[in-house]
Amino acid sequence: MNVIDYLLDLGASVVLPVFIFLIGLILRVKPGQAFRAGLTVGIGFVGINLVINLLVESLGPAAKDMVKQWGLDLNIIDVGWPATSAIAFGSAVGALAIPIGLLVNLGMLLLGLTRTLNIDMWNLWHIAFTGALVTIMTDNFVLGVITAIVHAMLLLVLGDLSAKHISNYYGYQNITFPHGTSAPYYLIALPLEKLFNRIPGFRDWKADPETIQKRLGIFGESTVLGLILGILIGLLAGWETKEVLNLGVKTAAVMLLLPRMVSLLMEGLIPISEAAEQFVRKRFPGRELYIGMDSALAVGHPAAIAASLIMVPIVLAMAVIVPGNQVLPFGDLATIPFIVCMMVPIFRGNVIRTVIGATISLAFGLLLATYIAPLFTTAAKNAGFNMPEGAAAVSSLVDGAVPTTAIFIFGAKLGYAGIIGIGVLTLVAAYIMSRRHFRTEQKGEAAEG
């Protein structure tokens, strides 16, 4: 546990390059090239975090002032994902999250039930979160651990499912995002896309960044769009002209800088991805291996950022409108890109569809975050979290409003049968996918022969 705590304290920007370097050596990449790849990934990750922090620090005060401006008075505070991850890792299940994630991944790879090699260790806090909530709800630590195991399996299956969409839209070959926040919304986007395609007129609306830029000219460019959306948010916050313009320029900067930081990170991942493809092709002809990464690689897409900025006032409005909601969105308003980034490939960058999909998802998500607030608050107190002044309870959008949280919370109400049942369904889905991949590989080999 001391080793795990030490690794967590070092942070992703330090340990991730080490993992990349070691994986590179295992995949027979030259030591110098593996070292350079790892260092480049680390630098890219630092750059991404700097830009995301700029977005958080810019939108955070604006969101706070929007709450005051609109007179919102809700008694459950959204404490944001940094606090949520600390609470999750501070739980009894959280202490086992990384070993669970590694062992589940290794086991499913050896059994051929996944093609995803997840190196995103820090985001295993998502499985710790659901495990901690189930432990508190059932007063059963073993059931909480089983929940974390099943959650880890489910995320790997989602990583396999979404890999082709990630490759086709974002252009990231052999990269996937088994991310606890982002991946579940991929499943919501799939049926919504089919529904949208059945609506006459609406199905023909094109609202991807490229189409928007063609129609609006300079006003459709990602940086100018970021400027406009930032100014609108500043005006809704009731800020003065100077502050409004500053926010506009900062959001424009995020629109420009985040994709470039992602490109830098991908520059480091490319040699590792290519080596992984060659390694697997040589030993397992026709088989693919996906490298599981943080969905931060996807949040910088113009469609994801534009949809997220539009969602900020929408989420605050829904907090008042949705009957039964008691959560005041705040800490996670700036991390909405992580919620929408896996919807974007399914909607092919259509900003309107992404906003509608996110609105539907978060309308239900607010109710879920309200429902789990007592469990969340108990977990926070157990982890020694200091409650915000004036807050009766705490919750979050990440992961309090995520669909998988609902699946495991309501599944746990059936005890072992519910969680194990989810696990069996997950393994069945993994097996079916593996058989489909196997048949596809055989056809490919037959065609080559």
Side-chain angles (χ1 to χ4, degrees):
M1 289 317 306
N2 289 335
V3 172
I4 291 172
D5 288 340
Y6 182 73
L7 288 174
L8 289 173
D9 290 339
L10 284 176
S13 59
V14 175
V15 184
L16 188 58
V18 175
F19 278 0
I20 293 293
F21 174 69
L22 293 176
I23 290 171
L25 294 181
I26 293 171
L27 296 175
R28 306 294 176 85
V29 177
K30 294 180 179 179
Q33 189 179 11
F35 177 80
R36 190 180 300 110
L39 183 59
T40 304
V41 167
I43 293 169
F45 206 85
V46 169
I48 288 172
N49 283 330
L50 285 173
V51 180
I52 290 176
N53 286 338
L54 173 62
L55 181 65
V56 171
E57 291 168 3
S58 301
L59 281 184
K64 186 176 181 179
D65 287 341
M66 285 173 72
V67 168
K68 292 179 181 178
Q69 186 81 359
W70 295 5
L72 300 183
D73 186 20
L74 300 164
N75 59 7
I76 301 175
I77 304 298
D78 165 21
V79 293
W81 77 265
T84 306
S85 61
I87 291 166
F89 272 134
S91 67
V93 177
L96 301 173
I98 290 180
I100 286 172
L102 288 171
L103 290 173
V104 168
N105 198 173
L106 179 61
M108 290 184 70
L109 280 170
L110 291 175
L111 293 172
L113 295 175
T114 185
R115 296 177 172 225
T116 298
L117 172 62
N118 186 18
I119 63 174
D120 184 21
M121 295 294 101
W122 291 266
N123 278 310
L124 288 173
W125 72 261
H126 298 280
I127 70 171
F129 177 74
T130 50
L133 293 189
V134 168
T135 298
I136 292 168
M137 185 180 75
T138 62
D139 195 23
N140 188 332
F141 174 71
V142 174
L143 189 57
V145 171
I146 295 173
T147 298
I149 292 171
V150 175
H151 196 171
M153 291 162 44
L154 179 59
L155 291 178
L156 291 172
V157 171
L158 290 177
D160 290 350
L161 274 172
S162 59
K164 291 299 182 184
H165 288 99
I166 291 168
S167 173
N168 292 339
Y169 187 77
Y170 288 122
Y172 300 155
Q173 299 299 320
N174 299 324
I175 301 292
T176 190
F177 307 130
H179 190 279
T181 297
S182 307
Y185 290 102
Y186 161 85
L187 290 179
I188 293 178
L190 288 172
L192 285 177
E193 175 69 358
K194 290 184 179 180
L195 174 63
F196 294 155
N197 287 335
R198 291 176 179 272
I199 302 174
F202 181 80
R203 63 189 173 201
D204 299 321
W205 290 4
K206 292 186 178 180
D208 56 277
E210 293 78 12
T211 302
I212 292 172
Q213 184 172 345
K214 287 179 182 178
R215 290 180 179 176
L216 300 180
I218 188 173
F219 294 103
E221 293 181 9
S222 61
T223 50
V224 178
L225 191 58
L227 173 69
I228 294 170
L229 292 173
I231 288 174
L232 288 175
I233 290 172
L235 292 172
L236 290 171
W239 284 2
E240 295 181 358
T241 304
K242 178 182 176 182
E243 295 170 315
V244 168
L245 293 176
N246 267 287
L247 179 60
V249 173
K250 287 178 180 178
T251 50
V254 169
M255 296 287 274
L256 177 67
L257 294 175
L258 199 49
R260 296 193 178 183
M261 293 301 102
V262 171
S263 297
L264 180 61
L265 191 149
M266 287 306 301
E267 183 182 324
L269 277 178
I270 285 172
I272 304 299
S273 177
E274 291 176 346
E277 186 178 2
Q278 293 173 4
F279 183 88
V280 174
R281 186 182 296 165
K282 183 178 179 181
R283 289 160 179 78
F284 307 97
R287 190 173 175 183
E288 290 180 290
L289 179 69
Y290 309 131
I291 297 176
M293 288 291 295
D294 192 323
S295 57
L297 274 71
V299 302
H301 192 278
I305 294 294
S308 301
L309 291 174
I310 294 170
M311 283 303 301
V312 171
I314 291 176
V315 171
L316 287 172
M318 285 197 301
V320 178
I321 296 170
V322 173
N325 174 62
Q326 297 177 36
V327 174
L328 176 62
F330 176 62
D332 278 328
L333 285 174
T335 52
I336 291 177
F338 287 89
I339 290 173
V340 306
C341 68
M342 285 303 293
M343 291 183 165
V344 169
I346 306 301
F347 298 140
R348 296 183 297 280
N350 190 306
V351 176
I352 294 175
R353 294 191 181 195
T354 304
V355 168
I356 294 173
T359 300
I360 295 170
S361 300
L362 288 176
F364 289 102
L366 286 169
L367 294 177
L368 174 61
T370 299
Y371 181 80
I372 68 160
L375 300 174
F376 194 113
T377 303
T378 301
K381 291 178 178 177
N382 291 346
F385 178 75
N386 293 321
M387 296 286 289
E389 186 178 348
V394 292
S395 191
S396 69
L397 298 182
V398 178
D399 269 3
V402 176
T404 42
T405 299
I407 290 172
F408 289 110
I409 288 297
F410 292 111
K413 288 185 177 294
L414 299 175
Y416 286 103
I419 299 300
I420 292 174
I422 297 169
V424 170
L425 290 174
T426 301
L427 288 175
V428 168
Y431 177 76
I432 292 172
M433 287 174 57
S434 69
R435 296 304 300 170
R436 285 179 179 174
H437 282 306
F438 179 71
R439 286 194 292 268
T440 301
E441 289 164 2
Q442 284 188 320
K443 288 179 182 177
E445 290 175 12
E448 289 178 4

